[in-house]
Amino acid sequence: MKYAFPLAAVIALILIALIGVQIPGMQYLFGVVIPYLAVGLFIGGFIYRVYHWSKSPVPFKIPTTCGQQYSLPWIKQNKLEAPTTTSQVVVRMLLEVVLFRSLWRNTKATVYDGPKLTYESSKWLWLFGIVFHYSFLVIIIRHMRLFLEPVPAVVAWVENLDSFWQVGAPLVYMTDATILLALLFLFLRRLSNPQVRYLSLANDYFPLFLLLSIVTTGVLMRFFLRGNVDIEAVKQLALGLVTFHPTIVSDISALFYVHLFLVCVLLAYFPFSKLMHMGGVFMSPTRNMANDSRMKRHINPWNPPIKPHSYASYED
């Protein structure tokens, strides 16, 4: 049931959009009203979650360390695993955000007959994780050409790089294939690994199904039902949304509205889900704090001022 309910929910969302846009006048709801609401929920929810996390007290220095901290001059410090300065923390965070450094060092433990416990390197999760995130980033940059006129040179450069292997039309983007492969790997991993399957919940499968549906509808529009989608009308709608003068063209295909509706659901769902690790990684005290508890005294700034009492006052 952990996979059935999320899958049924995504199918229901697809049917809502597919049937809804057939009703006269409902194109404005799915093409204008819902996108504005989704963006508002995304921005407002993102700010709320980050603000809420920023108010959480951090009474102790709790950076994650697994290397030699700064001590005596002749003992070499591991500046990435036990950073003591702000610059070292920034480098550590940069490697974490850009290269998923902690995921690269991920290991798996397996118990064999004997019993025998082994620890093995697990790089596949890192590889497909980084492929998914960077493919998603490139796809977002490519879509900026719909919202900007004239199209910035950097967007055109990214698009050309993504379609590097293509000769002819329509352009085949490498990221369309890589993001599908990465999402399928992440989904199959949750099914094939007993430990991960046991820990996975419905809210772990829902974003996977939602992202797979978004990518699939995009690929269908791009390569298989290209003639049914008026790309000029899509760009006209996109430019109208960003300039707050939206224009609905009636001959945009129903598949486009399904794709747009699923993207809106993802935006609205994002701040209230585990996908918020995008913002949460910067708020994690285990990563953004320096390991200098022996060099500086850490005073919890959230502690309210407390008036001291003498022993005699307690007796009274």
Side-chain angles (χ1 to χ4, degrees), residues 155-313:
V155 175
W157 181 81
V158 170
E159 186 173 12
N160 292 333
L161 185 63
D162 197 13
S163 59
F164 177 78
W165 299 106
Q166 175 65 17
V167 177
L171 295 177
V172 176
Y173 296 116
M174 291 182 288
T175 50
D176 289 340
T178 55
I179 195 171
L180 275 174
L181 289 174
L183 285 170
L184 287 173
F185 171 83
L186 295 173
F187 172 66
L188 293 175
R189 172 179 170 269
R190 290 192 177 275
L191 294 181
S192 61
N193 189 308
Q195 293 84 1
V196 178
R197 185 172 66 248
Y198 178 79
L199 294 172
S200 297
L201 303 173
N203 59 358
D204 293 308
Y205 291 102
F206 178 72
L208 284 174
F209 289 136
L210 187 58
L211 286 165
L212 278 169
S213 301
I214 291 171
V215 175
T216 303
T217 52
V219 169
L220 287 174
M221 284 192 296
R222 178 73 186 172
F223 301 107
F224 300 99
L225 301 173
R226 184 180 178 85
N228 298 334
V229 181
D230 187 349
I231 191 64
E232 292 297 328
V234 172
K235 179 151 188 174
Q236 184 180 350
L237 173 60
L239 288 173
L241 288 172
V242 296
T243 57
F244 299 101
H245 294 90
T247 302
I248 294 292
V249 180
S250 59
D251 57 355
I252 303 180
S253 74
L255 185 60
F256 164 75
Y257 285 109
V258 172
H259 182 73
L260 178 61
F261 182 62
L262 293 175
V263 171
C264 292
V265 172
L266 178 65
L267 285 175
Y269 175 75
F270 193 100
F272 312 101
S273 68
K274 295 180 180 180
L275 301 175
M276 262 303 290
H277 63 260
M278 183 179 76
V281 66
F282 297 99
M283 307 299 297
S284 173
T286 60
R287 290 288 169 186
N288 63 21
M289 299 184 78
N291 184 38
D292 57 357
S293 57
R294 296 184 179 183
M295 303 163 65
K296 299 177 183 177
R297 182 184 180 189
H298 174 69
I299 300 176
N300 181 11
W302 291 270
N303 278 342
I306 300 174
K307 183 180 179 180
H309 298 277
S310 65
Y311 182 76
S313 65

Side-chain angles (χ1 to χ4, degrees), residues 89-98 281-282 287-288:
V89 172
V90 169
V91 172
R92 186 191 198 196
M93 286 292 298
L94 187 65
L95 292 174
E96 185 69 29
V97 173
V98 176
V281 66
F282 297 99
R287 290 288 169 186
N288 63 21

Side-chain angles (χ1 to χ4, degrees), residues 71-128:
S71 58
L72 299 173
W74 59 85
I75 299 178
K76 185 179 180 180
Q77 175 199 2
N78 192 326
K79 296 181 180 180
L80 288 180
E81 300 302 348
T84 55
T85 65
T86 302
S87 59
Q88 293 170 5
V89 172
V90 169
V91 172
R92 186 191 198 196
M93 286 292 298
L94 187 65
L95 292 174
E96 185 69 29
V97 173
V98 176
L99 297 177
F100 301 177
R101 184 169 176 268
S102 61
L103 197 58
W104 167 263
R105 302 171 59 203
N106 183 44
T107 58
K108 64 177 181 179
T110 307
V111 178
Y112 295 96
D113 292 338
K116 182 181 180 182
L117 178 64
T118 65
Y119 294 92
E120 306 166 41
S121 176
S122 180
K123 296 293 186 291
W124 287 109
L125 179 58
W126 171 86
L127 176 62
F128 283 97

